[in-house]
Amino acid sequence: MKKILIAIASIAFASCGPELPEIKPDLITESTLHDTDDPAIWVNKNNTEESIVFGTDKDTDGAIYAFDLDGKIIEAKTLRGMKRPNNVDVAYNVKINDSVTTDILMFTEREREQIRLFSVPDMKPLDQGGFKVFQEKRENEWSLPMGISIYKSPKTNKTYAIVGRKNGPKTNYLHQFELVPAGDYIEFKLVREFGNFSGEKEIEAIAVDEELGYIYYADEKVCVRKYQAEPNVNNTELSCFGAETFNRDIEGIAIATYKNREGYIIVSDQQEHTFNFFDRKTNEFLFAKNLGTTETDGCEVYTGYLNEKFPNGLFVAMNDNKNFYFYDLSKIIDAK
C-alpha cells in the first residue's frame, strides 16, 4: 500500500510541475566540450568578485572547467585531460603540514578509479597523481567513483572526503576518507564504510551540512538518505525522506545555510526539470521551483554576498546543454 501511495503522489507532483512559473537565470556560462554534470563554488575570501565556479565535463576527454562570475571560462584555472570527472567539491583552510593550509578542490575521476585533489586558486596537484578507491571488487562498476563531498569537522578540524560509486553493496556503499597532511601533499586514510543502497539505480549526489553534522545523499529512485557526518559515531540511517515529492531520479543536492541553523536542502527532480526545497532543520518538503534547466544532475549554492549581480547568494545548476545556469539566490527564494 505504501508503494502505491508514493506512486500516486509522484504522479500528482509530476502533473503539477509544468505549471510552475519559470525563473530565468541571471546568466548562462560558456559551453563545455562534452557533458556538464556537477558544480562547486569557491569563494575568494579576499575578493569575492574573483570567486570561481568549477564544473565537471563528464567525458573520457573530460575536464574541470573554471568559470568567473560572468560565466566566462578561466582557461588558466581549468584542468583538462581528465578521464570522466564526475562530481566536485571545495573546502577551505585544509592542512598540508604543520605550518601550511590551503583551499582545495576535490573530484572523482571515474575511469581512472580515483580521487583527485588540487589547491585553489593556484591549481597545484596535492595527491601525487590520484588516490585509488573501491579496489576491493573491480567488477560490476563497484570500483568506479562518482559522487563526492567534503566534510570539515567543527569538532576536530579534520577534513574528510565522502565518496560514492557507480554500483555497490546494499550496505556500506559509501567510503569516508580522512585527509592526512604529508608535507607538500595529502594522503587518504579510510576511516569509515557506511550507507544503505536500494539497488534501484545508483548514488551520485552527496552533500554535507557541516554546521549540523549531517551527510545527505540521493538514492536516485528511492529517497534522500541522511547520516551523521562524524566517522566515529554509529552508522544508523537517520532518515530516508522526500520520495513522494519526486517524479523519478533524485539528483543534485545543495544546502543553503543561514543564521540560527535556518536554510534549505535543495534537490534536483531530474525528469521533472525542477528543484524541491526541504527545510534544513526538519527535512520537511516546502515547495518546488522551475528554474528552466533540463535534466539537471548537480547543483550548488552559496548564501553570502559575491558581487553586484549576486548580492544575496548564488545558485548554480547544471543544464543539459553543455553549460551551467547562474541565479541570484534571493530571486529564487522570493519568487511566487
Side-chain angles (χ1 to χ4, degrees):
M1 177 62 71
K2 183 178 180 181
K3 290 184 177 180
I4 294 174
L5 291 174
I6 289 174
I8 293 172
S10 298
I11 293 171
F13 268 85
S15 65
C16 71
E19 298 176 5
L20 293 172
E22 181 178 331
I23 303 170
K24 300 290 186 180
D26 289 270
L27 62 86
I28 298 174
T29 67
E30 294 182 331
S31 298
T32 67
L33 287 177
H34 304 290
D35 179 22
T36 50
D37 191 277
D38 187 51
I41 302 169
W42 175 74
V43 178
N44 187 328
K45 300 298 178 60
N46 296 319
N47 182 359
T48 59
E49 294 188 359
E50 295 183 359
S51 298
I52 300 172
V53 175
F54 293 100
T56 60
D57 190 30
K58 191 172 60 177
D59 190 86
T60 295
D61 176 32
I64 304 295
Y65 279 79
F67 300 95
D68 63 22
L69 295 182
D70 291 319
K72 305 298 184 184
I73 295 169
I74 310 171
E75 189 59 41
K77 306 294 184 186
T78 294
L79 303 173
R80 299 190 182 274
M82 302 299 163
K83 297 293 186 182
R84 202 171 182 84
N86 210 112
N87 283 40
V88 61
D89 202 3
V90 299
Y92 302 88
N93 299 318
V94 175
K95 287 184 65 174
I96 305 299
N97 53 51
D98 290 338
S99 59
V100 177
T101 63
T102 184
D103 297 349
I104 62 170
L105 171 84
M106 186 184 298
F107 59 94
T108 51
E109 191 177 15
R110 193 198 301 183
E111 291 183 4
R112 289 191 172 119
E113 302 178 357
Q114 63 183 6
I115 302 169
R116 296 305 316 270
L117 178 63
F118 289 78
S119 60
V120 180
D122 54 354
M123 312 311 292
K124 301 297 184 183
L126 299 173
D127 56 8
Q128 295 188 306
F131 179 76
K132 298 291 184 181
V133 291
F134 304 126
Q135 298 295 289
E136 74 278 7
K137 184 178 180 182
R138 304 184 67 255
E139 59 185 44
N140 298 325
E141 300 181 317
W142 281 37
S143 62
L144 304 180
M146 290 182 67
I148 195 165
S149 190
I150 301 172
Y151 170 56
K152 190 172 182 182
S153 171
K155 297 179 179 179
T156 66
N157 207 37
K158 291 182 178 180
T159 305
Y160 302 93
I162 296 93
V163 190
R165 42 185 154 179
K166 180 70 174 175
N167 193 12
K170 295 294 182 69
T171 58
N172 295 339
Y173 191 94
L174 286 83
H175 285 185
Q176 186 165 349
F177 298 91
E178 180 183 344
L179 276 60
V180 181
D184 57 355
Y185 65 95
I186 288 177
E187 295 178 341
F188 291 80
K189 176 185 177 183
L190 180 63
V191 295
R192 183 188 188 192
E193 299 178 30
F194 72 101
N196 292 331
F197 174 48
S198 66
E200 292 291 323
K201 192 175 180 185
E202 61 194 25
I203 292 168
E204 184 172 8
I206 307 171
V208 179
D209 188 328
E210 288 189 348
E211 182 185 12
L212 301 188
Y214 298 127
I215 295 170
Y216 297 93
Y217 65 89
D219 196 337
E220 288 193 6
K221 295 179 73 174
V222 178
C223 67
V224 178
R225 299 188 186 272
K226 178 181 180 180
Y227 286 80
Q228 296 280 358
E230 288 293 332
N232 57 350
V233 300
N234 67 64
N235 289 340
T236 302
E237 182 170 277
L238 301 177
S239 65
C240 177
F241 65 91
E244 69 279 6
T245 70
F246 291 91
N247 183 345
R248 198 185 77 187
D249 289 0
I250 306 168
E251 281 286 352
I253 304 174
I255 301 175
T257 61
Y258 296 95
K259 293 180 179 178
N260 301 319
R261 300 190 168 192
E262 300 291 339
Y264 305 97
I265 301 169
I266 309 169
V267 188
S268 169
D269 190 352
Q270 189 172 48
Q271 282 70 41
E272 196 61 27
H273 315 302
T274 58
F275 294 84
N276 291 339
F277 285 66
F278 300 86
D279 184 271
R280 183 187 174 203
K281 290 181 179 178
T282 66
N283 301 155
E284 294 180 359
F285 175 78
L286 299 174
F287 50 81
K289 299 283 184 174
N290 173 12
L291 304 187
T293 59
T294 303
E295 295 283 338
T296 296
D297 278 302
C299 58
E300 189 55 284
V301 66
Y302 175 70
T303 58
Y305 175 91
L306 290 177
N307 61 11
E308 290 185 359
K309 187 171 291 183
F310 305 108
N312 303 297
L314 170 64
F315 183 74
V316 179
M318 165 263 177
N319 179 54
D320 194 25
N321 192 25
K322 303 179 182 180
N323 53 27
F324 295 90
Y325 284 15
F326 289 10
Y327 305 82
D328 174 27
L329 180 60
S330 64
K331 187 167 71 174
I332 297 173
I333 301 300
D334 297 339
K336 304 299 183 182

